[in-house]
Amino acid sequence: MADPDCIFCKILAGELPATIVDEDERTIAFMDIAPATRGHALVVPRVHTVDLLSVEPEDLRAVADAARRLAGRAKDRLSADGVNLLNSCGSAAWQTVFHFHIHVIPRYDGDPLRLPWVPSPGDQADIAAAAQELAGR
Ligand code: AMP
Ligand code: ZN
């Protein structure tokens, strides 16, 4: 169930400190130690699993529900103007802790966060080719 080398498993086991803000049968949520904005929290399943592609569907649903709960609280209690949910799956996608988690990042009008890409029109043929590979089962 737990990975002895995983910092989030250590938090779950009470072996590392964390500021817990939400818990249920399948999940806990705690404050990120390096917050992107005020109120940045992480929601994790209690059962160790590496990433989005390996998490059990029931745990994924529970983590999503908890993330939505916290997003609502960020708006109601921290007066956030918006919220980003972020999951990084794989080191190419910036994942640094390999215990599945969703970041709940409250957003405030005028905060310094920016999209990490510059939106610009893509190559239509390549969009269509990628779509063909992605579509269907
Ligand atoms: P990611 O890069 O998406 O895997 O996210 C990992 C997150 O975990 C980062 O935002 C870190 O700041 C955060 N983090 C790492 N260690 C701890 C810790 N001990 N307590 C709380 N957050 C942590
Ligand atoms: Zn873990």
Side-chain angles (χ1 to χ4, degrees):
M1 294 271 269
D3 174 339
D5 298 323
C6 171
I7 53 174
F8 291 175
C9 285
K10 287 185 178 149
I11 287 174
L12 279 154
E15 292 164 11
L16 274 181
T19 306
I20 293 170
V21 289
D22 188 82
E23 355 191 10
D24 64 22
E25 222 172 63
R26 288 181 178 269
T27 71
I28 69 164
F30 50 88
M31 302 306 282
D32 196 298
I33 39 160
T37 63
R38 184 165 190 269
H40 181 174
L42 303 170
V43 186
V44 311
R46 289 184 185 276
V47 174
H48 178 87
T49 191
V50 169
D51 64 18
L52 175 68
L53 296 176
S54 62
V55 64
E56 290 296 329
E58 275 298 302
D59 280 343
L60 178 59
R61 278 189 277 275
V63 168
D65 285 346
R68 181 163 68 171
R69 216 154 49 228
L70 282 171
R73 283 190 218 158
K75 289 202 81 174
D76 294 345
R77 303 184 191 176
L78 301 180
S79 301
D81 299 301
V83 180
N84 283 119
L85 298 187
L86 173 71
N87 168 253
S88 300
C89 181
S91 42
W94 309 324
Q95 186 174 6
T96 58
V97 176
F98 290 86
H99 179 132
F100 173 67
H101 53 281
I102 292 182
H103 297 255
V104 181
I105 305 173
R107 300 300 308 278
Y108 304 94
D109 288 341
D111 76 30
L113 299 193
R114 295 290 173 267
L115 276 179
W117 68 92
V118 180
S120 65
D123 179 86
Q124 285 305 318
D126 191 48
I127 292 170
Q132 272 203 338
E133 290 182 55
L134 284 171
R137 287 177 173 266

